[in-house]
Amino acid sequence: PLTLEVKRQRRAQKHTPARRLTQEQIRPGTPEPVEGRVHVHVQTELYLEEISDRIIEVDGECQTDEFLDRPPTPLFIPAKSGKDVATQIEKGELFDFDIEVKPILEVLVGKTVEQALLEVMEEEELSQLWSHQRAFAELRNAEFAELQRLEEQDRRIREEKERRRLEHLEKLRKQKETAEKIAARAFAQRYLADLIPSVFNNLHDSGFFYDPIERDIETEFLPWLMSEVEEELQKKVLGRTMLDSLIRMVVEKRLDEFSRPPPAAQTKAPADEPGATDAAPKMSGEEDAADQPVAEKEETDQPVAEEEAS
C-alpha cells in the first residue's frame, strides 16, 4: 500500500504542472496597458481587505521557565586534527575596496533611484486616478441629476396623460349620462302626458279629491247631530215609558179597588154618601184630563222627533 500511495502522489505531481500550464494557456491574458499607465492589482473578492504599506504588528508573550543558576556552558572546541597549512596572500589580492565597492554602490543607488521613480510614478498615477475619480464623480452626479430630472419630467407627463384620460372618460360619462337623462325626461313627458289626466280623473271618481267643508260636515257635524238626536229621542222614550208604567199602575190599582165587593155598611146606606160616587167619577175625569194632555203631548212630540231625525 505504501508503494501504491507513493506512485499515486508522484503521478499527481507530474500531472499538476501540465494541468496548470494548460489552464494558463487556456485562460485569456490581460492586454497590455496604454502608454503612460501600468497595471495595478485590484481586489476582486467578495470581502475587501485593507492594503497598507506598514505591516500590522502584534505583540505576543509566552511564559517560560525560570533559568537555573548555573555557570554558562563552555564553548565547544573540537580537538585538533590533521596538519597545519598556511597560504601567503599579498595585500590587494583578495579585496580592493575602491574596485569592489563600485558595483555595490551602483546597485544600491540604482535600486534607490528606481524605487524613488516608481514611488513618484505611483504618486502621479494616484493623483491622476483621484482626478479621474473626481471628474467621474462629477459627471456621474450630473448624469444622475439629469436622470432624476428626466424621470420627474416623465412622471409628470404620465400623470398629466392619466389625468387627461380620466377627464376625457369623465366627460364622456357625463355626456352619456346627460343624453340618457334627456331621453328619459322626454320619454317620461310623452308617457305622462296622457297618464296624469287619467290618474286625476280616476282619483276624483274614487273620492280622493273632495270638498273639505263637505267632508268636515259629513265626518264631524252629522255624527254629532245624530248622536244628540238619538240621545234626545232616548230621553223622550224613557219619559213615555215611565209615564205609561205609572198610568198602568194607577189603572191596575183602581181596577183592583172597583173589582172588590163593597162592604155591608156601604150597601145599606147608599144614599147617605153620594160624595163617594161623585168623587169616583170626578177622579176618573181628572184621570181622563190628565191622560188627555199626555196623549196630546205624545202626538205633538212625534212630528218634532221626525223633523229632528230628518
Side-chain angles (χ1 to χ4, degrees):
L2 295 176
T3 54
L4 292 175
E5 186 67 19
V6 171
K7 289 181 180 179
R8 190 180 296 107
Q9 290 179 0
R10 290 179 180 178
R11 193 179 301 110
Q13 290 176 0
K14 289 181 180 179
H15 290 297
T16 299
R19 189 181 298 109
R20 187 182 296 110
L21 182 60
T22 53
Q23 288 179 358
E24 290 179 357
Q25 291 178 357
I26 293 173
R27 182 182 302 171
T30 305
E32 294 296 330
V34 186
E35 184 178 357
R37 296 184 181 182
V38 295
H39 288 309
V40 178
H41 293 286
V42 180
Q43 295 183 8
T44 58
E45 289 80 5
L46 295 177
Y47 300 97
L48 299 179
E49 182 181 355
E50 184 180 1
I51 298 177
S52 60
D53 297 337
R54 181 175 176 276
I55 299 174
I56 299 174
E57 298 178 356
V58 179
D59 295 336
E61 297 180 357
C62 181
Q63 181 67 32
T64 59
D65 297 334
E66 296 181 356
F67 290 101
L68 300 176
D69 295 335
R70 64 185 184 85
T73 304
L75 182 64
F76 175 73
I77 299 175
K80 184 177 180 181
S81 62
K83 296 180 180 180
D84 295 335
V85 177
T87 304
Q88 184 178 358
I89 299 173
E90 298 295 337
K91 185 178 180 181
E93 289 184 356
L94 295 179
F95 182 75
D96 189 356
F97 179 80
D98 296 335
I99 296 173
E100 299 294 337
V101 81
K102 185 177 180 179
I104 297 174
L105 289 176
E106 288 180 355
V107 171
L108 293 176
V109 172
K111 287 292 181 180
T112 304
V113 172
E114 184 180 1
Q115 185 69 25
L117 290 176
L118 288 175
E119 291 179 358
V120 171
M121 290 177 62
E122 184 177 359
E123 291 178 358
E124 290 180 356
E125 186 175 2
L126 288 175
S127 63
Q128 290 180 1
L129 286 175
W130 290 339
S131 63
H132 283 300
Q133 286 180 356
R134 287 193 295 271
F136 177 74
E138 292 176 358
L139 180 62
R140 184 183 63 181
N141 294 332
E143 290 179 352
F144 185 69
E146 183 68 17
L147 178 62
Q148 288 183 345
R149 188 184 66 80
L150 293 175
E151 288 180 353
E152 185 67 21
Q153 182 179 1
D154 186 25
R155 186 183 63 80
R156 289 198 300 270
I157 292 173
R158 283 190 284 103
E159 290 180 355
E160 182 69 18
K161 186 186 295 183
E162 184 68 19
R163 187 173 62 81
R164 293 289 181 86
R165 186 179 69 83
L166 294 176
E167 288 180 356
H168 183 65
L169 292 177
E170 185 69 18
K171 182 179 179 181
L172 292 177
R173 187 183 65 79
K174 289 184 177 180
Q175 289 180 355
K176 184 179 179 181
E177 185 177 356
T178 306
E180 290 178 355
K181 287 182 178 179
I182 293 172
R185 185 172 180 273
F187 176 74
Q189 287 180 353
R190 287 198 304 270
Y191 182 73
L192 297 176
D194 299 331
L195 182 62
I196 294 175
S198 62
V199 169
F200 276 103
N201 292 330
N202 293 331
L203 292 175
H204 188 273
D205 295 337
S206 299
F208 288 96
F209 298 102
Y210 54 85
D211 188 3
I213 299 174
E214 182 179 357
R215 176 59 64 89
D216 192 11
I217 291 172
E218 291 178 356
T219 57
E220 299 293 336
F221 180 70
L222 288 180
W224 173 79
L225 182 60
M226 293 300 294
S227 62
E228 293 294 329
V229 170
E230 185 178 359
E231 187 177 355
E232 290 293 330
L233 290 175
Q234 287 179 358
K235 289 180 180 179
K236 289 182 179 181
V237 170
L238 180 60
R240 290 176 183 177
T241 305
M242 293 178 65
L243 183 59
D244 291 342
S245 63
L246 291 173
I247 293 171
R248 187 179 296 108
M249 289 173 62
V250 172
V251 171
E252 289 178 355
K253 185 177 181 181
R254 288 186 178 183
L255 181 61
D256 292 338
E257 290 178 355
F258 283 109
S259 62
R260 286 183 294 179
Q266 291 180 2
T267 56
K268 289 180 180 180
D272 293 339
E273 296 176 0
T277 56
D278 294 337
K282 188 175 181 181
M283 291 176 62
S284 63
E286 290 177 357
E287 290 175 0
D288 294 337
D291 293 338
Q292 186 176 0
V294 173
E296 290 178 357
K297 189 177 180 181
E298 290 179 358
E299 291 176 359
T300 56
D301 290 337
Q302 186 175 1
V304 174
E306 291 177 356
E307 289 178 359
E308 289 179 356
S310 63

